[in-house]
Amino acid sequence: MSLTQDIKDYALDIGYHQVGITSADSFTDHLEEVRSRGAIYDFYVQDPRQFLMGAQPLETMPSARSIISLVWDYSQKAFPSSLLEKVGRIYQARCYDAPPDRINGARYQLLLNFLEKRGCEIGRGIFVPERRAAARAGVATFGKNSFAYAKKIGSFVLLNSIVIDQELEYDPPAYNSRCPIECTACMKACPTGAIYEPLKLDPRRCLAFNAWWTQDGRPGVTSYIPFLIREKMGTRVHGCDICQEVCPNNSARLKARFPSDPFLVQLAKEFTLPKMLEMSDSFYRRTVLPIMYNYLTDKKYLQRNAAIALGNTRNPDHLPVLKRAMKNPEELVRGYAAWALGRIGSGKARAVLESCSKRETSEFVLSEIKAALEN
Ligand code: SF4
Ligand code: SF4
């Protein structure tokens, strides 16, 4: 049996749903596209993981010959509706960038071990553009929403790519989109207009991006979330699936009945926005980390998102928890709690803001209080 077939068989055996192989040649189309988008992609170009180098595997690993592109379908479970209001499916599925001691990270690790045993050198730390690699390896196409769509599955898929030094048998690419020409459902449904043209998405306007990429210290971004984005986040604290939920190419998966995931059922009972805003260390470890492993390592960003979500409920029952948040030691949390109080907008919320403004010393929080009172 050829090494190509051996690798594909093993990957399917350990649970991947599709496997394709492409060459390790540069993704020149990706490089051109990213560079053409200028400041919109500063965060990506400046990231210390050097994503643009990942689009040129041979620059980092001269022995690179093949890229194995793997698809894992994460849609095959019943996601609790109360969690879907707050957390995107890919995070609930605990598969994106999963560490090796979690089941989805362990699967990836198993494949790495297998490849090494078969004498392959692996290009570790090369961040290949996964969607481009999947298209070139024939396992996915692009939707107008920029998501990758795997054949007979849809876009609720995790993609992994592994660069190796062995020359394998390459699969034919699958560049053609399966979008009906007239369909623009994803573009119309996006609450912020982030998909400004087919296949062109402005991450700075995307709710998913704002919920977790906006952290201080990351190049090209800060922790600040603009007012318009905050309002559109609704109760989402991590991720956004809107442009995938409206897609006809996902409707079969969305209508299908899948078994519940006992872990998510339990999590859904515990995962509330007030608890998230007043997050204890144990809540963070037990309820948040399992679905958000390594995205938001500082609790304050999740608390920021929880404050926004609570404000967007416009439910005055949340006044007490937001009032307590105005005493949080983190100015980030106090600032967004002030915005949330303004969003709820009752006389009582106003009284809390006025009282807090007398003792507040942070310029950021004071500016948020002022804006909240003016609104
Ligand atoms: S993930 Fe949400 S905010 Fe981002 S492009 Fe899709 S619909 Fe718009
Ligand atoms: S909603 Fe329509 S245009 Fe958007 S990705 Fe799906 S099929 Fe394509």
Side-chain angles (χ1 to χ4, degrees), residues 91-157:
Y91 307 112
Q92 291 190 48
R94 288 106 66 200
C95 60
Y96 190 61
D97 214 3
D101 60 351
R102 302 280 176 161
I103 189 69
N104 292 299
R107 180 184 303 110
Y108 183 70
Q109 189 59 48
L110 276 174
L111 187 54
L112 295 181
N113 296 346
F114 175 85
L115 292 167
E116 281 183 334
K117 274 193 203 146
R118 296 298 307 262
C120 302
E121 183 196 347
I122 294 167
R124 292 182 190 268
I126 302 178
F127 294 94
V128 168
E130 309 271 18
R131 297 177 192 182
R132 297 267 177 186
R136 207 167 76 185
V139 289
T141 60
F142 288 97
K144 288 179 194 169
N145 56 11
S146 298
F147 280 90
Y149 281 73
K151 205 172 174 184
K152 296 190 178 162
I153 301 177
S155 66
F156 296 116
V157 287

Side-chain angles (χ1 to χ4, degrees), residues 210-218 223 225 237-238 276-281 283-285 288-289 292-306 328-334:
N210 275 278
W212 70 272
W213 201 282
T214 46
Q215 299 179 53
D216 292 311
R218 284 202 167 166
S223 62
I225 300 181
V237 290
H238 199 51
M276 196 165 176
L277 180 57
E278 297 192 306
M279 191 160 11
S280 62
D281 286 343
F283 181 82
Y284 180 59
R285 260 197 325 276
V288 173
L289 270 185
M292 302 180 196
Y293 313 113
N294 41 17
Y295 316 106
L296 289 159
T297 47
D298 192 322
K299 288 192 303 187
K300 68 182 177 185
Y301 301 112
L302 290 155
Q303 291 173 298
R304 170 198 62 189
N305 297 353
N328 191 290
E330 292 287 351
E331 65 171 1
L332 186 81
V333 180
R334 297 198 303 280

Side-chain angles (χ1 to χ4, degrees), residues 145 147 186 189-195 201 205-208 240-244:
N145 56 11
F147 280 90
C186 52
C190 175
T192 59
I195 311 166
L201 190 149
R205 281 194 266 161
C206 175
L207 303 183
C240 165
D241 286 346
I242 295 171
C243 61
Q244 298 180 82

Side-chain angles (χ1 to χ4, degrees), residues 143-145 149 177-180 183-187 243 246-249:
K144 288 179 194 169
N145 56 11
Y149 281 73
S177 165
R178 278 192 281 272
C179 294
C183 184
T184 52
C186 52
M187 300 173 73
C243 61
V246 298
C247 178
N249 290 331

